[in-house]
Amino acid sequence: MLLCCDVGTSQIKAMAVSERGEVTHIVTRAVDIFVRPPLGRSQDAESFVVGAVDALSECVKSLDDAGKIEGIIVSGQQAGLVLLDKHALAMSLYDSWLDTGHLEFLGTLAPALWERIRANCGAAEATHFGKLLRFKSLLGETFENARGWTIAAP
């Protein structure tokens, strides 16, 4: 038995899948998207954790024998960013792939600098770098107090 959890943009979907590939239970939980200046479209990072744990827990409860779980597969969003404190707890909203504000911000950089970043890092990594620079610019002290960040990559 496998548990699968897809952390999507608008919902979290968890499934219990048998060794024969049969889906025995499906649970979905909505995830809110809202606009909050100056970050634009954002999501509450904690809601992803709560929704995923809740959905996976319901799948486990549906099983006759939870001891037969052989693994958990998690997939998720692309190109998102959240700042973490020293305890790995979210201290910012989740800047998802829906928010393209970093592109406008990157447009304020010198074109030669942006091209050098893209050439040295690759397009996906440059996007993450742009999101980090934008967070630093907009969040100031919150960014400076962050102990790390997590980025969902495509």
Side-chain angles (χ1 to χ4, degrees):
M1 183 67 64
L2 290 175
L3 294 181
C4 304
C5 185
D6 178 41
V7 181
T9 302
S10 62
Q11 73 176 0
I12 294 168
K13 183 185 290 183
M15 296 183 282
V17 182
S18 75
E19 49 280 344
R20 293 181 301 280
E22 299 165 340
V23 176
T24 62
H25 197 75
I26 298 176
V27 179
T28 60
R29 296 290 182 261
V31 178
D32 293 331
I33 300 171
F34 52 93
V35 177
R36 182 171 175 192
L39 294 177
R41 292 184 188 185
S42 299
Q43 294 173 285
D44 179 16
E46 187 67 21
S47 71
F48 290 117
V49 175
V50 170
V53 168
D54 184 53
L56 286 167
S57 294
E58 187 173 322
C59 281
V60 169
K61 289 176 188 173
S62 76
L63 302 174
D64 293 331
D65 183 2
K68 290 187 177 182
I69 297 172
E70 296 181 46
I72 300 174
I73 300 169
V74 179
S75 64
Q77 297 186 25
Q78 58 179 336
L81 171 69
V82 65
L83 297 179
L84 304 175
D85 68 10
K86 65 182 178 181
H87 304 290
L89 298 175
M91 57 188 298
S92 72
L93 294 172
Y94 177 74
D95 181 342
S96 77
W97 66 272
L98 291 171
D99 187 2
T100 57
H102 66 284
L103 298 174
E104 181 180 319
F105 176 79
L106 290 172
T108 66
L109 296 177
L113 173 60
W114 175 234
E115 286 307 314
R116 192 166 59 233
I117 292 168
R118 284 178 57 89
N120 290 329
C121 298
E125 291 78 7
T127 296
H128 299 316
F129 184 71
K131 286 180 177 283
L132 281 171
L133 286 177
R134 181 167 173 250
F135 263 47
K136 183 175 183 179
S137 167
L138 296 173
L139 299 178
E141 189 175 331
T142 300
F143 184 90
E144 296 301 326
N145 289 329
R147 295 295 182 254
W149 55 85
T150 183
I151 297 175

